[in-house]
Amino acid sequence: MTTTTVRDVSVFGDAMAYFDEAASLLDLEPAMRAILTHPSRQIIFSIPFQRDNGSLEVYTGYRVQYNFARGPAKGGIRYHPGVTLDEVTALAFWMTWKCAVVDLPFGGGKGGVTCDPGELSQGELERITRRYAAELVEVVGPDKDVPAPDVGTTPQIMAWFMDTYSMHMRTTVPGVVTGKPVEIGGSLGRVEATGRGVSLVAFEELQHLGIAPAAARVVVQGFGNVGSVAAKMFASRGCKMIGISDISGGYVNRNGIDIAGATAYAQEHHSLEGYRGGEHVSNEKLLETECDVLVPAALEKVLTAENAERVHARLIVEGANGPTTPEADHIFQRKGTVVVPDIIGNAGGVIVSYFEWVQDRQGYFWKESEVNERLEELLLTNFRKVREVAHQRQIPYRTAAYMVAIDRVTRSIKTRGVYA
Ligand code: GLU
């Protein structure tokens, strides 16, 4: 017998529910709605590759280029066992709104390979990545589509992607991908950018709510690139980090977790498994810990109709893409929980990807302080704009963020005209 879990429901369907709410408030005409609810291009391909033992296996790769109205497609590549066309399409759809809401000259894209990078050697990962890049040579490029890291991919993987593309082009093209190591055209500050952006938006909203950082108790779910950096930034501003988690479960300590110690532990053991700096709880229980700020920074659909009533946070900042289902979102609205949606909450990463692309094209690299200053300026200016729309129209931040983004993309399409 199979049971239907919430993860089985289409991710793209959920994403569309959010779009619909904003589109109806904008009175979006049916033709524009039709354009925006269809991905421009979806590519599925086979990735045959050699295992270290000499045997051949075939994985499936995806790249969805959702929309190009404002510029080249932009978005990460995910290596995870749960990758499907539906998920990649939803993620590319979100990238379209994320880039637009922070006013970047990009459309939206996303890619992925259905695999478990944890059980692949470096050599196997390199061969998969090179074949993945080779399959996309005609459709990616600095003016076409610019991938980046996402769940399960790293700066090294971006380096292999850039090298493979460059070999095919017979010239070095750093701007084909962002999130690269600094020595081959990566930007200073890119690795920390998503977590930094999460904390910047959280501090801005805490101030608005009249909560001093030193009085804020914070829980971060997920201790990867986004969660661990966000936790570090919260701790550095004096917040009390009372909960963290990873695949091994949650760790709660109401007196405060030593984030530097937890980070060192996770680096040494490749996981928080066995970490003793907090009471070990399940990931579900972690999300229900009473706190001021909750940052889901792992995967989709963790805040659902089943647990939303038991979530006791005043502010939720979405570090992950799509962590809240529409049903849960309605419960939060009713309870008065403030939710900063993914498309602006975690946009710090793609903002610094944009800076990396600009630096690559100019061949001139900025100081880290300059990257961080420009990140703060772009992110908070657009977040304040979203807040203004939300207050004017008495709507949640999520709907306001979609409205700002849809309005910008719609204007670009109308100005360009439709080649029909
Ligand atoms: N994967 C990240 C995201 O979901 C970054 C995308 C990028 O930098 O292009 O926003």
Side-chain angles (χ1 to χ4, degrees):
M1 195 187 83
T2 55
T3 48
T4 306
T5 70
V6 71
R7 287 231 12 128
D8 299 327
V9 180
S10 162
V11 187
F12 188 44
D14 271 5
M16 199 65 85
Y18 289 137
F19 172 88
D20 278 340
E21 249 173 78
S24 57
L25 285 177
L26 279 169
D27 270 330
L28 202 67
E29 53 268 55
M32 195 55 72
R33 192 183 182 285
I35 291 173
L36 296 177
T37 52
H38 286 80
S40 288
R41 191 184 275 153
Q42 294 171 296
I43 309 163
I44 309 179
F45 48 97
S46 296
I47 303 182
F49 77 102
Q50 196 168 31
R51 298 297 300 233
D52 288 344
N53 66 12
S55 66
L56 271 180
E57 275 185 41
V58 184
Y59 285 173
T60 303
Y62 305 90
R63 185 75 188 167
V64 175
Q65 298 171 328
Y66 197 89
N67 188 281
F68 297 100
R70 291 169 53 87
K74 184 84 196 79
I77 305 170
R78 180 171 292 198
Y79 286 2
H80 190 270
V83 165
T84 59
L85 180 64
D86 173 69
E87 186 192 50
V88 175
T89 305
L91 291 163
F93 176 82
W94 280 320
M95 285 310 301
T96 306
W97 314 122
K98 191 186 299 185
C99 291
V101 81
V102 291
D103 216 0
L104 305 182
F106 287 136
K110 202 77 163 205
V113 179
T114 316
C115 68
D116 181 356
E119 59 110 32
L120 294 162
S121 71
Q122 286 298 103
E124 289 167 338
L125 280 171
E126 178 171 355
R127 291 191 287 280
I128 290 167
T129 302
R130 289 193 182 277
R131 181 63 186 246
Y132 179 86
E135 290 291 333
L136 292 173
V137 154
E138 284 92 359
V139 293
V140 296
D143 295 313
K144 294 181 179 176
D145 180 4
V146 186
D150 194 77
V151 176
T153 54
T154 58
Q156 177 61 67
I157 289 175
M158 299 306 113
W160 291 324
F161 189 107
M162 178 276 224
D163 183 69
T164 307
Y165 181 81
S166 297
M167 288 297 134
H168 282 262
M169 293 298 124
R170 312 302 303 152
T171 183
T172 297
V173 189
V176 63
V177 69
T178 59
K180 298 178 296 296
V182 174
E183 50 273 45
I184 57 163
S187 176
L188 294 170
R190 174 62 186 87
V191 171
E192 299 80 15
T194 313
R196 178 179 292 274
V198 165
S199 70
L200 286 171
V201 169
F203 292 129
E204 170 70 23
E205 190 54 23
L206 281 173
Q207 190 183 22
H208 188 71
L209 295 171
I211 304 171
R217 297 156 306 161
V218 182
V219 171
V220 175
Q221 181 239 2
F223 210 62
N225 176 245
V226 181
S228 67
V229 174
K232 188 173 119 193
M233 306 271 168
F234 282 118
S236 75
R237 289 274 292 267
C239 300
K240 195 178 270 185
M241 283 299 315
I242 60 166
I244 56 174
S245 80
D246 72 0
I247 197 143
S248 68
Y251 303 84
V252 175
N253 183 344
R254 277 165 227 287
N255 296 320
I257 291 172
D258 162 27
I259 294 300
T263 307
Y265 185 95
Q267 263 160 12
E268 192 186 331
H269 299 85
H270 304 291
S271 144
L272 287 167
E273 176 97 64
Y275 175 66
R276 300 248 172 271
E279 184 197 344
H280 189 214
V281 299
S282 65
N283 250 307
E284 292 74 47
K285 272 274 163 277
L286 178 98
L287 294 168
E288 295 168 15
T289 308
E290 196 185 318
C291 61
D292 300 295
V293 186
L294 171 64
V295 178
L299 292 169
E300 299 94 69
K301 293 179 185 276
V302 293
L303 301 173
T304 66
E306 282 154 46
N307 66 2
E309 291 291 2
R310 297 190 300 277
V311 170
H312 302 290
R314 293 175 70 182
L315 168 64
I316 297 173
V317 181
E318 296 182 340
N321 291 310
T324 309
T325 66
E327 297 77 23
D329 212 38
H330 286 132
I331 296 172
F332 293 140
Q333 279 169 39
R334 184 167 43 70
K335 294 205 308 184
T337 311
V338 179
V339 180
V340 177
D342 44 10
I343 60 171
I344 189 130
N346 69 34
V350 75
I351 289 177
V352 177
S353 274
Y354 165 55
F355 296 158
E356 181 174 331
W357 179 80
V358 168
Q359 292 170 79
D360 287 340
R361 295 175 76 110
Q362 295 183 335
Y364 180 77
F365 292 86
W366 311 345
K367 288 188 299 206
E368 187 163 356
S369 56
E370 204 172 334
V371 172
N372 291 342
E373 270 161 37
R374 289 185 194 229
L375 162 63
E376 181 163 350
E377 154 80 20
L378 197 52
L379 183 60
L380 294 187
T381 302
N382 285 291
F383 178 55
R384 289 182 193 123
K385 158 119 191 145
V386 166
R387 187 159 61 199
E388 205 179 288
V389 173
H391 288 169
Q392 263 165 14
R393 309 201 45 150
Q394 296 289 301
I395 52 176
Y397 286 164
R398 191 186 312 274
T399 317
Y402 273 82
M403 285 178 75
V404 169
I406 295 169
D407 184 52
R408 287 184 178 152
V409 175
T410 303
R411 282 171 197 272
S412 305
I413 295 175
K414 285 190 176 155
T415 309
R416 287 175 62 156
V418 179
Y419 184 23

